Amino acid sequence: MSVIVYTESENGKLKKNAFEVASYASEVAKQMGTSVTAIAINASDVDELGNYGVTKALNVSDESLKIFNAKAYANTISQAVEKEGGKILIVSSSTDTKFMAPIVTAKLKAGYVPNVVAAPENASPFTVKRTAFSNKGFAHTEIKSDMKIIGVSNNAFGVHENKVDVAVEDFNASISDSDFSTKSVEIDKVVGKATIADADIVVSGGRGLKGPENWGMVEELADVLGAATACSKPVSDLGWRPHGEHVGQTGKPVASNLYIAIGISGAIQHLAGVSSSKTKVVINTDAEAPFFKAADYGIVGDAFEVVPQLIEKLKELKAQNA
Amino acid sequence: MKILVCISNVPDTTSKINFTDGDTKFDTNGVQFVINPNDEFGLTRAMWFKEKQGASVHVVTVGTAAVEPTIRKALAIGADEAIRVNAEPTDGYFVAQQLAEVIKNGEYDLVIAGRESIDYNGGMVPGILATLLDMNFVNTCISLEIDGETVTAMREIDGGKEKIETSLPLVIGGQKGLVEESDLRIPNMRGIMMARKKALNVVEPITADKATEDAKFEKPAPKGAVKLVDSVDALVDLLHNEAKVI
Ligand SMILES: Cc1cc2nc3c(=O)[nH]c(=O)nc-3n(C[C@H](O)[C@H](O)[C@H](O)COP(=O)(O)OP(=O)(O)OC[C@H]3O[C@@H](n4cnc5c(N)ncnc54)[C@H](O)[C@@H]3O)c2cc1C
């Protein structure tokens, strides 16, 4: 009865979060004295999972699953879990996985806990620590059901190498036309750029930037850092930036290693979305801005002076380390 | 078209979070409760369907009598009828089972829930519900158009958006984007008066298992003071050598 982990891929390659959830599964398996079986869909590099403690990988190759479909993916994963007789399933926190996991939950009559930030703290009752109240608190949640699903928060557990031999097997689930009753007809996605969900660094701008025409420097800063761009809610409400970039309690959560907030006041609803980020930097003209209380590093200064200097300095650093 | 909007009663977004009873319960003292923001976008979209295309709109909540002001607010905004399942909403699976029962009995074409509630952030109710009822399901929904049986929805994905075609009956997990923020409604006097005459049906819960239980809560550890620097050089140095994040 191994621990099962669903390792997400994109364009045929496992995502960074796949290695994090594999690392997490490996830790759970260690606690339970068992092994890890991964399930991957249309990934060509499942061998890589052996670096993170996965001893068996079920690989699904299916043209019809090329584009993510929540129901069809949920069916595939549920069938893999049943075949393996797994009682614990580990998943990531991507938007797709959060769409799919509740479907698996209902299919397998499981207890599902998303937003988990640490390895299980207790096996009986099975208890995990997760964020709640939009990151303003933590809950220690007991999973009472026989089947358990854990959604690991991005970057909360990290990637831990643990090299083992991995046996790769083909796996084919039976999926039917009715699984495709919702059909993707168009995907509008920026390719080749880090997204808020995956990025190690997020550069975010607020109303202090005055207008969309000033975002050039935010994007340049993000480029230098290989970061994703984000914004506060009024900025997306005003249409300066797309909705998907809005961070906070009613927007996206950010759990990056570094969050740089430029011209953002730090309202409680915004902070709720960024408190899982490890290091927070604030650039703001107002020394009284509440964000300074939540930040690790800060510069009281004008973004229009500080950001260009920062870009130059980072370019220098990059050149030195190249 | 018959629409059901699922409403979660949550602490308002500015609430300070505290716990009582040895950190086992959320402290409601001094907390103002509101319609979950993600549900509010959904409710407003439902009102749009009612006004522009013709629909009846019911709202439902799982909660004790204490949540009635929140569901009354939904009536005052324009919902036609309200249902309260008389139970403490213990976990997402339990809530989804209660809602599924209401939907089975009400034969709804469209069920609008929020992507997640901003208190426990489970984000699982709409998906479990759709699966229990074998209805189509779109999560993180940011736009919704219905033409007869045909549905075109847009959902947010990491780094962009995806257009989806599907059909009724449908469950969505909605969020900001479903309607413009400026279209969100505040109940007016007339709405509040009318709401008093509308039905608020209380139904008893079905027996349902809960899959999880929050045994204990905790607040994040207090943060150390911010290190203020007055030059970009100093900042880059700290990020590179101290925090080691660049
Ligand atoms: C129900 C509800 C939900 C909400 N959810 C969210 C959410 O999810 N996310 C979110 O972000 N907000 C949310 N909000 C809004 C939130 O309350 C704040 O209004 C918002 O976060 C403020 O955005 P801001 O900091 O960009 O703008 P402002 O509050 O206007 O702050 C701008 C900041 O820029 C600084 N500034 C100005 N000029 C410069 C300059 N030249 N250089 C540097 N700094 C400068 C100012 O000192 C100020 O601190 C929500 C509100 C409600 C009611």
Side-chain angles (χ1 to χ4, degrees):
Chain A
M1 193 198 71
S2 47
V3 172
I4 316 281
V5 57
Y6 165 54
T7 50
E8 211 178 357
S9 58
E10 193 168 23
N11 302 325
K13 288 250 178 286
L14 291 167
K15 289 174 64 169
K16 191 185 96 189
N17 70 29
F19 303 121
E20 183 171 27
V21 288
S23 304
Y24 187 96
S26 201
E27 171 63 27
V28 178
K30 201 169 96 196
Q31 286 187 7
M32 318 292 284
T34 181
S35 58
V36 182
T37 299
I39 162 121
I41 299 178
N42 291 329
S44 59
D45 53 351
V46 281
D47 292 348
E48 299 259 327
L49 292 168
N51 296 332
Y52 304 93
V54 173
T55 51
K56 180 171 166 185
L58 301 176
N59 193 19
V60 180
S61 308
D62 187 336
E63 253 325 275
S64 73
L65 299 176
K66 214 161 176 177
I67 294 172
F68 173 79
N69 179 292
K71 202 169 164 188
Y73 272 50
N75 246 342
T76 303
I77 288 154
S78 306
Q79 286 173 33
V81 171
E82 279 170 344
K83 177 184 169 266
E84 294 296 311
K87 292 291 172 210
I88 300 177
L89 171 67
I90 313 293
V91 298
S92 79
S93 297
S94 73
T95 302
D96 285 353
T97 298
K98 282 192 161 181
F99 186 179
M100 180 207 73
I103 305 177
V104 180
T105 299
K107 282 186 184 297
L108 300 180
K109 300 193 174 29
Y112 167 42
V113 183
N115 311 319
V116 169
V117 292
E121 28 194 56
N122 208 342
S124 178
F126 193 94
T127 311
V128 282
K129 181 177 176 178
R130 65 167 176 128
T131 59
F133 300 98
S134 304
N135 288 317
K136 289 185 260 183
F138 295 103
H140 299 267
T141 306
E142 296 177 4
I143 311 185
K144 308 242 173 222
S145 53
D146 193 27
M147 179 70 213
K148 300 169 177 66
I149 304 180
I150 298 173
V152 183
S153 269
N154 289 351
N155 287 326
F157 189 75
V159 171
H160 304 278
E161 285 209 25
N162 168 20
K163 228 172 155 68
V164 294
D165 286 333
V166 56
V168 181
E169 276 178 27
D170 288 335
F171 178 74
N172 277 312
S174 68
I175 43 176
S176 65
D177 283 353
S178 68
D179 290 327
F180 296 93
S181 57
T182 57
K183 194 165 162 275
S184 172
V185 289
E186 198 180 306
I187 292 176
D188 176 5
K189 184 172 171 167
V190 192
V191 281
K193 261 194 155 182
T195 65
I196 297 174
D198 297 328
D200 283 328
I201 304 180
V202 173
V203 176
S204 191
R207 198 148 54 181
L209 285 166
K210 314 275 191 292
E213 67 281 5
N214 297 325
W215 242 264
M217 64 180 188
V218 178
E219 288 189 326
E220 195 180 347
L221 178 58
D223 262 357
V224 182
L225 289 165
T229 53
C231 66
S232 67
K233 181 163 169 288
V235 164
S236 73
D237 287 345
L238 289 161
W240 298 355
R241 299 298 294 177
H243 279 311
E245 284 196 5
H246 145 216
V247 155
Q249 190 166 29
T250 54
K252 281 245 154 70
V254 178
S256 55
N257 285 324
L258 173 61
Y259 184 79
I260 305 182
I262 308 164
I264 301 177
S265 57
I268 190 166
Q269 299 96 345
H270 188 87
L271 294 180
V274 302
S275 56
S276 299
S277 281
K278 301 218 167 60
T279 302
K280 295 180 259 314
V281 173
V282 170
I283 300 166
N284 198 307
T285 41
D286 175 10
E288 301 297 317
F291 218 140
F292 284 114
K293 290 206 174 63
D296 299 284
Y297 304 107
I299 293 190
V300 178
D302 187 340
F304 297 93
E305 288 165 22
V306 175
V307 175
Q309 286 176 30
L310 189 55
I311 292 169
E312 285 317 306
K313 186 75 201 165
L314 288 167
K315 279 185 180 160
E316 277 171 33
L317 182 77
K318 217 170 151 181
Q320 277 167 23
N321 293 337
Chain B
M1 185 164 60
K2 211 170 154 191
I3 305 175
L4 183 70
V5 184
C6 306
I7 303 274
S8 174
N9 174 65
V10 299
D12 121 71
T13 62
T14 58
S15 300
K16 295 258 186 321
I17 302 299
N18 289 301
F19 304 106
T20 58
D21 294 18
D23 287 336
T24 59
K25 287 206 170 61
F26 172 63
D27 184 1
T28 55
N29 226 324
V31 171
Q32 169 104 32
F33 282 85
V34 296
I35 298 176
N36 182 42
N38 291 314
D39 308 347
E40 202 180 354
F41 286 107
L43 176 63
T44 310
R45 190 65 193 164
M47 297 316 301
W48 185 93
F49 284 119
K50 178 178 163 172
E51 285 154 19
K52 296 284 198 301
Q53 295 184 194
S56 66
V57 177
H58 292 182
V59 289
V60 62
T61 190
V62 178
T64 61
V67 310
E68 284 198 0
T70 300
I71 198 92
R72 285 243 176 252
K73 187 176 165 200
L75 288 173
I77 286 171
D80 302 304
E81 256 182 58
I83 303 157
R84 176 171 71 80
V85 181
N86 188 24
E88 191 72 53
T90 44
D91 83 327
Y93 211 129
F94 175 86
V95 170
Q97 289 173 83
Q98 301 304 335
L99 293 173
E101 188 66 15
V102 169
I103 294 157
K104 246 185 256 165
N105 296 330
E107 296 181 344
Y108 294 95
D109 306 294
L110 173 64
V111 176
I112 303 180
R115 171 195 75 187
E116 70 175 22
S117 63
I118 62 162
D119 50 2
Y120 295 96
N121 312 102
M124 67 185 84
V125 170
I128 296 176
L129 185 61
T131 310
L132 292 176
L133 295 165
D134 200 19
M135 285 167 84
N136 292 325
F137 171 46
V138 179
N139 204 22
T140 55
C141 189
I142 50 173
S143 88
L144 180 66
E145 306 290 341
I146 297 172
D147 181 5
E149 285 285 298
T150 311
V151 177
T152 311
M154 195 75 86
R155 80 168 177 110
E156 193 173 289
I157 56 176
D158 290 334
K161 51 194 180 179
E162 178 183 32
K163 193 178 188 179
I164 285 182
E165 278 174 7
T166 185
S167 57
L168 298 178
L170 170 75
V171 176
I172 66 158
Q175 62 177 55
K176 182 187 151 194
L178 267 183
V179 293
E180 290 299 324
E181 179 125 25
S182 52
D183 290 335
L184 292 178
R185 298 166 191 210
I186 300 160
N188 58 24
M189 210 37 171
R190 187 162 165 269
I192 293 165
M193 297 305 287
M194 300 228 316
R196 292 199 182 144
K197 296 200 201 89
K198 291 179 183 170
L200 199 166
N201 308 304
V202 179
V203 300
E204 289 307 317
I206 55 163
T207 319
D209 291 334
K210 52 179 179 178
T212 64
E213 184 172 326
D214 293 323
K216 216 173 161 73
F217 296 101
E218 179 190 326
K219 292 220 272 184
K223 254 207 68 46
V226 58
K227 269 193 195 169
L228 286 181
V229 294
D230 49 18
S231 79
V232 165
D233 284 2
L235 178 65
V236 170
D237 181 56
L238 285 167
L239 292 178
H240 188 60
N241 295 315
E242 187 180 86
K244 299 192 180 356
V245 284
I246 55 171

